[in-house]
Structure formats: structure tokens, C-alpha cells
Amino acid sequence: DGYILTNNHVVEGADELKVSLSDEREFVAKVIGTDPKTDVAVIKIESENLPMVTLADSEKLRVGDIVFAVGNPLGVGQTVTMGIVSAKGRNKVGILDGGYEDFIQTDAAINMGNSGGALVDAKGRLVGVNSAILSPSRGNIGIGFAIPINLAASVMNSLVVTGRVARGYLGVSN
């Protein structure tokens, strides 16, 4: 239907969004909704016969599973790198200041420009959305993070249906 899942930090503050597909079609996209707390955004393009990806169940992902990070690192063009799932449920990493961190950690090379790209399993199913790296040099050192697709899809559905994400708040912390 033209909905594209990406990162909030990719679209935040943009005046115009352009989407380029691998078949060289280009589109102007509009923002459907964003959720800075999870770094998820949904944008939409208008067209037919658009490619789509099958969503996996990220809860079934295991440490050691092979994954592929797809993106456009440093603007060089579409790139795919391979690695493994290094950890699941990474939080308190400091990437989302005050947000909900629950990252898949991978050693698949994720560099600047991979944000919003797909993290797929060996069957080509989407398991996460590439989001960040942890590196003093701002380059890949094997510590990349992706938002699990179960979380990202839940946020996406809420943004598409209501335009926002509603959360309960209890007021308890540790």
C-alpha cells in the first residue's frame, strides 16, 4: 500500500522526503507518523506494484542467527552486509534518550546511512529496522543495533490507524 517503515531520526526535521527504489523509480513521500520514543517512523508513497517484505517474528530470533543489514551506508548505494545476532533486548545503551530501548545487537556492518534499512534473516524476512551504531569513531566496529520488527510493526500499525502511539504510564521506576 506504499507504507514504508523507517527511523524517526531519518525523517525528523526533513523538508522533503524522496524514496528511490532498486528499479530506479523515485517518489516523494509524506510522513504518516513518528514515534521518537522508539525511533520509528512511517512514511507513504503513492504507486502500484511496489515491492514488499515478509515480516518475521523477532521473538523467535536467537543469538547466533545469521542476519543481513541492508542500507545505503555513507551514500555509496544499496549495500548488504552479513553478521550474526550478538544479543537481544539491549537496553540502557543511551541511544534513545528517555526512549524505549529493546534493540537487537548485530555485528553486521551498520554505518551512517544504514538507518531505516532492513535487518533480514537468512530467509529474507524482516526481523528488524537498522537504527544505530555504538562507536567512538562513528564508523562500524561490529556493534550495531536494530529495532525488533515486532515492536516496530506494532508502532507502525498504531501510527497508520491513529496517527500516534498511545502508551499507559504507571509512574514506577528502578
Side-chain angles (χ1 to χ4, degrees):
D1 294 329
Y3 291 104
I4 299 170
L5 186 59
T6 189
N7 293 124
N8 175 67
H9 77 264
V10 170
V11 302
E12 190 173 46
D15 294 328
E16 183 179 51
L17 299 172
K18 289 187 179 180
V19 174
S20 299
L21 301 183
S22 59
D23 63 6
E24 299 185 6
R25 291 186 288 169
E26 291 190 357
F27 303 92
V28 173
K30 67 178 183 175
V31 175
I32 299 301
T34 63
D35 183 38
K37 295 270 188 200
T38 56
D39 194 26
V40 171
V42 178
I43 62 176
K44 186 171 186 347
I45 60 175
E46 298 296 332
S47 186
E48 295 180 1
N49 300 318
L50 293 169
M52 61 183 188
V53 65
T54 301
L55 305 185
D57 180 354
S58 55
E59 286 296 316
K60 293 182 180 176
L61 200 59
R62 298 175 304 170
V63 172
D65 282 352
I66 293 174
V67 289
F68 301 88
V70 181
N72 181 11
L74 307 171
V76 300
Q78 186 173 356
T79 303
V80 178
T81 59
M82 182 180 80
I84 63 167
V85 172
S86 304
K88 291 176 51 180
R90 282 285 191 229
N91 57 24
K92 299 180 185 172
V93 182
I95 295 169
L96 299 176
D97 188 30
Y100 302 101
E101 295 185 346
D102 180 25
F103 293 111
I104 299 166
Q105 181 183 330
T106 181
D107 67 345
I110 295 176
N111 288 293
M112 293 173 52
N114 276 93
S115 292
L119 186 71
V120 298
D121 65 13
K123 294 181 179 177
R125 301 173 303 185
L126 186 64
V127 295
V129 179
N130 299 330
S131 189
I133 57 173
L134 194 58
S135 169
S137 67
R138 297 178 49 107
N140 175 57
I141 59 169
I143 306 175
F145 299 98
I147 303 162
I149 194 56
N150 291 11
L151 172 60
S154 173
V155 170
M156 178 183 72
N157 289 336
S158 184
L159 290 172
V160 168
V161 172
T162 68
R164 64 186 194 91
V165 178
R167 294 184 177 86
Y169 183 76
L170 187 58
V172 176
S173 66
N174 59 7

